[in-house]
């Protein structure tokens, strides 16, 4: 097979059954678009996530000393499914049920994940695990989505480090597609796609950014965001509830290393959306699933120039300029100076 990755091509994403257009020759194009000023990190005495402070709904936070979880005061989902339904020709709507919680990592308003001690990071992982067990333990929950938006550029409404969890009685569209792809792959090839992916990336090495005995960070072959990564386990595991103590310790370590690496790329707190994928809850057959973290950071050229998902990408298909291999190399270089 002959393949010149420096020429325009498209790459297949087997997780989502979709393609990304890769146009490496465009990296030289001039940029006169939007430049965003860096956001200074300052303490806000009225922060609604800080210990002892008032939230927008008038409730007061406890004087918490570690992690802190509360029901989102502006939840996107409600535990009551009382909307009814509408099913008239093309126009279809269904009632849904769910819970949304805010997951605060630490009392310190300025401490990000990578700033935490190993013990504090472990508390965050324990919190994710508890949330999956607790919400997945509700018989009606199908999908537990844990995520974090870091930085104003990614829509974080407050710099105090926090994530969220949304649990729903339905499979959201992206995991639904992933479920379908993972199931089909297992049926066709008799192996778990995610385990195969970790093994093949380990062999190929060129897209591996970081690794330790339990985990590896790769820029996926089909990455859409310039410095997109996946944190994959090097062992079989389908959900957070099954994580063991030593796996949690090395997970905390590699996640912190990854965030420090990101912060090195453009010498700024690298904005991202991070999401945790794992098997659907209350579902019988999940052998095709795996636990992994996905990081979607928007920065492209500097601390202030981001990639926009617009134009061709809204109407036709995702597109990237620098190749995933080059992005992985750049990230490895940044990791090496830490
Ligand atoms: P983001 O920064 O990722 O938007 O998360 C903050 C969440 O905190 C957001 O979903 C909630 C918002 O609804 N929130 C509260 O629940 N209570 C508040 O007092 C303010 C914000």
């Amino acid at each position: 097979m002959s393949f010149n990755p420096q020429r325009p091509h498209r790459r297949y994403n087997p997780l989502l059954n979709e393609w990304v257009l890769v146009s490496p020759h465009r990296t030289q194009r001039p940029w006169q678009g939007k430049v965003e000023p860096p956001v200074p990190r300052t303490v806000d005495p009225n922060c609604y996530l800080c210990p002892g402070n008032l939230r927008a709904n008038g409730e007061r936070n406890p004087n918490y000393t570690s992690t802190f979880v509360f029901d989102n005061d502006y939840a996107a989902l409600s535990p009551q499914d009382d909307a009814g339904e509408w099913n008239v020709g093309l126009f279809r709507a269904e009632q849904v049920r769910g819970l949304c919680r805010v997951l605060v990592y630490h009392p310190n308003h300025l401490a990000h994940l990578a700033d935490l001690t190993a013990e504090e990071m472990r508390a965050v992982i324990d919190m994710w695990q508890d949330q999956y067990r607790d919400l997945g333990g509700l018989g009606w929950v199908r999908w537990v989505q844990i995520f974090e938006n870091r930085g104003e550029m990614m829509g974080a409404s407050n710099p105090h480090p926090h994530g969220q969890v949304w649990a729903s009685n339905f499979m959201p569209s992206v995991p639904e597609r992933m479920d379908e792809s993972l199931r089909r792959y297992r049926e066709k090839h008799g192996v778990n796609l995610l385990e195969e992916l970790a093994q093949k990336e380990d062999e190929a090495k060129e897209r591996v950014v970081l690794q330790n005995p339990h985990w590896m960070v790769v820029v996926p072959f089909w990455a859409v965001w310039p410095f997109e990564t996946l944190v994959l386990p090097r062992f079989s595991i389908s959900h957070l509830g099954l994580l063991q103590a030593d796996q949690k310790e090395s997970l905390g370590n590699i996640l912190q290393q990854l965030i420090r690496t990101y912060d090195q790329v453009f010498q700024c707190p690298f904005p991202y959306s991070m999401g945790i994928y794992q098997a659907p809850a209350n579902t019988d057959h999940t052998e095709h699933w795996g636990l992994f973290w996905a990081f979607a950071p928007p920065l492209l050229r500097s601390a202030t120039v981001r990639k926009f998902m617009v134009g061709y990408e809204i109407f036709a298909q995702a597109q990237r300029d620098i190749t995933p291999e080059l992005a992985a190399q750049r990230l490895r270089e940044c990791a090496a100076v830490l």
Side-chain angles (χ1 to χ4, degrees), residues 47-49 54-59 61 70-76 100-103 147-151 154-160 162-164 166:
C47 166
Y48 57 75
L49 297 179
L54 278 182
R55 294 217 302 279
N57 69 350
E59 222 172 286
N61 294 330
F70 64 93
D71 286 334
N72 196 312
D73 302 314
Y74 305 94
C100 300
R101 295 176 180 162
V102 179
L103 312 176
F147 63 94
E148 177 194 347
N149 298 316
R150 185 193 193 194
M154 289 312 280
S157 60
N158 185 328
H160 192 127
H162 65 281
Q164 298 190 43
W166 296 16

Side-chain angles (χ1 to χ4, degrees), residues 275-310:
I276 305 178
Y277 284 107
Q278 56 192 320
N282 300 298
T283 305
D284 281 341
H285 297 289
T286 55
E287 315 74 47
H288 54 294
W289 265 96
L291 169 69
F292 67 101
W293 275 248
F295 281 80
L299 290 183
L300 175 66
R301 290 159 178 261
S302 71
T304 56
V305 177
R306 60 167 295 163
K307 171 184 177 58
F308 287 96
M309 287 281 198
V310 292

Side-chain angles (χ1 to χ4, degrees), residues 30-318:
W31 177 264
Q32 293 182 327
K34 187 172 164 65
V35 174
E36 310 200 25
V39 185
R41 292 171 98 193
T42 48
V43 177
D44 172 3
N46 299 316
C47 166
Y48 57 75
L49 297 179
C50 277
N53 279 6
L54 278 182
R55 294 217 302 279
N57 69 350
E59 222 172 286
R60 191 171 288 284
N61 294 330
N63 281 313
Y64 63 94
T65 53
S66 176
T67 56
F68 170 50
V69 179
F70 64 93
D71 286 334
N72 196 312
D73 302 314
Y74 305 94
L77 292 156
S78 156
Q80 279 85 44
D81 47 355
D82 48 12
E85 61 181 71
W86 185 260
N87 199 344
V88 183
L90 284 178
F91 306 106
R92 210 175 127 194
E94 288 175 358
Q95 62 187 11
V96 291
R97 193 173 177 203
L99 286 165
C100 300
R101 295 176 180 162
V102 179
L103 312 176
V104 187
Y105 298 153
H106 193 273
N108 183 342
H109 186 83
L110 295 177
H112 201 265
L113 279 183
D115 301 323
L116 304 184
T117 63
E119 202 183 317
E120 291 165 342
M121 185 67 211
R122 170 65 190 268
V124 172
I125 296 171
D126 285 341
M127 170 176 69
W128 290 335
Q129 192 172 41
D130 290 347
Q131 288 304 309
Y132 181 77
R133 283 185 178 145
D134 182 30
L135 293 164
L138 300 171
W140 53 270
V141 166
R142 279 296 306 288
W143 187 252
V144 178
Q145 184 62 59
I146 298 173
F147 63 94
E148 177 194 347
N149 298 316
R150 185 193 193 194
E152 213 178 331
M153 203 183 263
M154 289 312 280
S157 60
N158 185 328
H160 192 127
H162 65 281
Q164 298 190 43
V165 57
W166 296 16
S168 59
N169 68 338
F170 59 93
M171 284 290 281
S173 309
V174 176
E176 173 102 302
R177 245 191 310 151
M178 217 178 261
D179 185 55
E180 185 64 28
S181 302
L182 294 174
R183 180 181 295 115
R184 261 206 237 121
Y185 195 87
R186 194 174 168 98
E187 280 165 9
K188 195 166 167 201
H189 303 280
V191 288
N192 181 301
L193 189 158
L194 291 159
E195 288 173 23
E196 178 101 329
L197 174 64
Q199 199 186 317
K200 296 290 174 205
E201 290 292 13
D202 202 7
E203 280 163 27
K205 297 274 184 284
E206 58 177 341
R207 283 172 297 275
V208 176
V209 177
L210 299 167
Q211 55 188 320
N212 66 28
H214 294 123
W215 305 92
M216 61 198 291
V217 176
V218 303
V219 178
F221 182 77
W222 49 83
V224 166
W225 296 97
F227 295 97
E228 180 176 330
T229 56
L230 302 178
V231 182
L232 301 168
R234 305 171 84 173
F235 55 98
S236 292
I237 184 165
S238 59
H239 61 77
L240 273 171
L242 302 170
L243 271 183
Q244 303 299 311
D246 54 341
Q247 298 160 347
K248 288 197 243 184
E249 194 179 318
S250 57
L251 172 66
N253 197 284
I254 208 163
L255 288 174
Q256 291 193 310
Q257 244 184 305
L258 174 60
I259 294 165
R260 285 185 202 121
T261 300
Y262 273 147
D263 290 354
Q264 195 67 24
V265 177
F266 298 124
Q267 303 293 321
C268 69
F270 212 66
Y272 59 70
S273 265
M274 176 274 285
I276 305 178
Y277 284 107
Q278 56 192 320
N282 300 298
T283 305
D284 281 341
H285 297 289
T286 55
E287 315 74 47
H288 54 294
W289 265 96
L291 169 69
F292 67 101
W293 275 248
F295 281 80
L299 290 183
L300 175 66
R301 290 159 178 261
S302 71
T304 56
V305 177
R306 60 167 295 163
K307 171 184 177 58
F308 287 96
M309 287 281 198
V310 292
Y312 189 84
E313 296 176 302
I314 290 180
F315 302 117
Q317 185 178 293

